[in-house]
Amino acid sequence: MQYLDRVDVGLGSRLVPFTEGLELQRSVHAAVAAGSRPATVLLLEHESVYTVGRRTHSWERPREARVGADRVPVVDVDRGGKTTWHGPGQLTVYPIIRLAPPIDVIKYVRALEAAVMDVCADFGVSTLRVAGRSGVWVPPAPGRDGAARRERKLCALGVRVARGTTMHGIGLNVDPDLAAFDLDRIIPCGITDAGVTSLTAETGIHYEAAQLADLVAAALQEHLGPLMADS
């Protein structure tokens, strides 16, 4: 089994501008694809940003977005999926690995989901997949006030595979400001009939994104290791 080289990019000490993270991704991707660097997973928290994937319709793209008093930049990216948010309180994870042939992107996506689902189970949060929708979800259930809650997305996922090597990855909502996902700002992942949640919202316990890094890295190693090409 191949092993993931873990790199924490300022995790727990600073927020990473999205453009800085993207440049680092591209540099690591080029090296991994060329075989001059081992498979690598980058773990970080971004400064607040909306990213727009290739499947986003023009009417779904934010023209100007704010969270509180802060204006949030909107950046086009070369991943699948639609519009999502990254920022404080979300653990953003970029696994950059060469996939073993035959390359199966769906299998890779399912492995990412399975890793996150394992981590959520460690915190007592039940999760599921939703047919036709990527990511990790919390099933419908009564809220603490007794009102019914619909399915809620706990982790967004968007990937790209180039030269047989993965980019982008997952955004696991640990304890972000969920107002960033309000429908008057964006249509998160193009979905209007479900909600967005976080680990803290589901458990009632405050967690820092950095607290989950070890568990997420270990789960990714377990689920992605069998999919990696030999070095």
Side-chain angles (χ1 to χ4, degrees):
M1 180 185 293
Q2 299 300 307
Y3 289 92
L4 277 166
D5 181 24
R6 170 179 163 178
V7 178
D8 291 4
V9 187
L11 190 61
S13 62
R14 72 182 181 97
L15 301 175
V16 178
F18 184 78
T19 52
E20 177 187 335
L22 184 57
E23 288 171 3
L24 177 59
Q25 268 201 88
R26 288 170 173 164
S27 174
V28 172
H29 180 274
V32 172
S36 60
R37 180 186 179 116
T40 300
V41 58
L42 308 176
L43 299 103
L44 60 141
E45 279 182 272
H46 276 303
E47 293 179 349
S48 193
V49 63
Y50 289 112
T51 64
V52 181
R54 292 174 298 185
R55 293 180 55 242
T56 304
H57 298 295
S58 59
W59 61 87
E60 296 171 325
R61 177 187 174 88
R63 294 185 179 179
E64 180 175 322
R66 292 182 180 272
V67 176
D70 298 326
R71 186 179 183 281
V72 181
V74 179
V75 180
D76 290 290
V77 290
D78 57 355
R79 59 161 172 79
K82 296 195 175 187
T83 301
T84 193
W85 173 88
H86 299 299
Q90 183 189 84
L91 180 62
T92 303
V93 185
Y94 299 129
I96 303 173
I97 68 172
R98 288 194 301 124
L99 294 173
I103 291 173
D104 187 335
V105 177
I106 298 300
K107 187 175 182 180
Y108 171 67
V109 167
R110 296 293 172 261
L112 293 177
E113 292 169 342
V116 173
M117 293 171 80
D118 284 355
V119 171
C120 292
D122 288 338
F123 288 86
V125 176
S126 298
T127 56
L128 76 164
R129 296 182 176 95
V130 174
R133 293 176 172 177
S134 65
V136 175
W137 298 76
V138 176
R144 293 189 178 90
D145 60 359
R149 294 184 297 169
R150 54 192 177 175
E151 292 167 341
R152 297 158 325 276
K153 187 174 242 186
L154 182 58
C155 178
L157 190 153
V159 304
R160 181 185 181 216
V161 178
R163 298 173 62 191
T165 304
T166 63
M167 281 187 69
H168 303 291
I170 61 177
L172 174 57
N173 293 331
V174 180
D175 189 13
D177 180 357
L178 293 177
F181 298 99
D182 286 352
L183 291 176
D184 60 349
R185 293 182 172 92
I186 64 166
I187 302 175
C189 303
I191 296 167
T192 59
D193 61 349
V196 179
T197 190
S198 68
L199 193 65
T200 288
E202 295 302 319
T203 63
I205 301 170
H206 170 71
Y207 295 103
E208 300 285 346
Q211 290 178 257
L212 275 72
D214 289 348
L215 287 172
V216 170
L220 288 172
Q221 177 63 64
E222 176 183 351
H223 287 279
L224 298 186
L227 304 184
M228 295 184 205
D230 293 335
S231 56

